[in-house]
Amino acid sequence: MDHIHISLPSETVFHVGSFVVTNSILTSFLVSIVICVVLIAVARRTAVAPNKGVGFVVESAAETIVEQMTTVLGSRQVALKYFPLIATFFFFILFNNWLGLIPGFTHIMVTTPDGVVPLLRRTTSDLNTTIALALISFFLTLAFGFKQLGVWGTLKRYFHGNPFMWGIGLMELVLEFTRILSFSFRLFGNIFAGEVLLIVISALVPVVVPTPFLGFELFVGAVQAYVFSILTLVFISLAVTPVAEEH
Amino acid sequence: MEAQLQNLAAGLTVAIGAIGPGIGIGLIGAKAIEAVGRNPETQGRVTSLMILTIAFTESLAIFALVFGFIIKFLG
């Protein structure tokens, strides 16, 4: 089993000054460029009613996301306001999860001072990336809440009504911060576990058997992208809703 | 010996910690499907509530995973 290569931290490929460039950073840039090129190319020649090609796929995906957001937020106008953030999360995580499943993607090796390491690695199987995404999600939720309700209104969501019940509000406030942990480890855990599963299965039986697992990983990647973006949206919708006045 | 025990502890932490959330997520899913079966037009609302509740339940299993990593790599 000594030919199995599993690494929890991402490996350093090269340095720019004192800045360490790891293989997951390279992949995230690659994914960003792919997304930008595809989406800008589609946006440049929009048709009124596209019925084939990439434009059709992208427009139906965008429409589906807006519809999903409308069922959560209750109004299409509000949904369109948060659409850029949620769609960015969705497409970035989805492309990252799926690009790494292309056979041979992680097998391009380069020689570095630290030894032979893969040039590319799924960004979402690196904890640094998922923590960064979780922090973005958490602080933007907070910012949207402050913008909509003000600092006082946001605090009022936790401390309202009977002062004896404020202890529960305090506990809820502390629990908000565990969201950073659960957001980042949910994505990282699912994708990293899937990667380890694929590596181990292909090492045991290299032919035919890994195929259904690859299909399953495609499914998991899509579900995790959906869960991350929809959960961000649900927490945003909770944060911008003022607490109901008691009568 | 000690390193082996540490591996065992990490594995057991995740394994035992996943039992409760596993049962919980099953119950949530079952009840959500029951609710949609009784009242099909509420599907959109029920689905988003279900995902939110599952996320809270799942975070317990994720804490177990974090503690497993801590035992394995920092213990």
Side-chain angles (χ1 to χ4, degrees), chain A residues 140-177:
Chain A
L140 275 179
T141 308
L142 211 61
F144 283 134
F146 281 174
K147 200 180 157 200
Q148 210 74 23
L149 303 177
V151 178
W152 188 239
T154 304
L155 279 177
K156 227 176 164 184
R157 282 181 52 230
Y158 303 102
F159 306 107
H160 60 90
N162 189 343
F164 290 106
M165 303 295 275
W166 287 5
I168 296 174
L170 189 69
M171 231 155 76
E172 270 179 51
L173 192 64
V174 174
L175 274 179
E176 295 278 298
F177 286 93

Side-chain angles (χ1 to χ4, degrees), chain A residues 8 181 185-186 226 231 234, chain B residues 51-52 55 58 62-63 66 73:
Chain A
L8 193 60
L181 199 67
F185 271 92
R186 177 178 308 118
Y226 173 75
L231 268 181
V234 168
Chain B
I51 289 171
L52 184 65
E58 196 191 33
I62 293 164
F63 293 149
V66 175
F73 294 105

Side-chain angles (χ1 to χ4, degrees), chain A residues 8 71-72 178 181-183 185-186 188-190 192 224 226-227 230-231 234-235 238, chain B residues 44-45 47-49 51-60 62-63 65-66 69 73:
Chain A
L8 193 60
T71 60
V72 174
T178 61
L181 199 67
S182 64
F183 264 65
F185 271 92
R186 177 178 308 118
F188 165 73
N190 275 292
F192 185 71
Q224 286 310 314
Y226 173 75
V227 164
I230 270 307
L231 268 181
V234 168
F235 282 117
L238 286 180
Chain B
R45 187 94 193 97
T47 312
S48 61
L49 273 177
I51 289 171
L52 184 65
T53 335
I54 284 181
F56 283 126
T57 317
E58 196 191 33
S59 57
L60 295 176
I62 293 164
F63 293 149
L65 181 78
V66 175
F69 274 131
F73 294 105

Side-chain angles (χ1 to χ4, degrees), chain A residues 195-228:
Chain A
E195 201 159 82
V196 171
L197 178 77
L198 277 182
I199 291 170
V200 171
I201 289 285
S202 358
L204 291 175
V205 191
V207 208
V208 180
V209 179
T211 316
F213 288 96
L214 264 173
F216 181 66
E217 281 310 308
L218 278 177
F219 172 69
V220 169
V223 165
Q224 286 310 314
Y226 173 75
V227 164
F228 194 98

Side-chain angles (χ1 to χ4, degrees), chain B residues 18-39:
Chain B
I19 295 174
I23 297 171
I25 291 173
L27 286 176
I28 294 166
K31 285 289 175 189
I33 291 168
E34 204 179 295
V36 172
R38 282 185 190 189
N39 221 346

Side-chain angles (χ1 to χ4, degrees), chain A residues 228-246:
Chain A
F228 194 98
S229 38
I230 270 307
L231 268 181
T232 306
L233 184 67
V234 168
F235 282 117
I236 287 176
S237 86
L238 286 180
V240 298
T241 314
V243 60
E245 290 293 331
E246 287 178 36

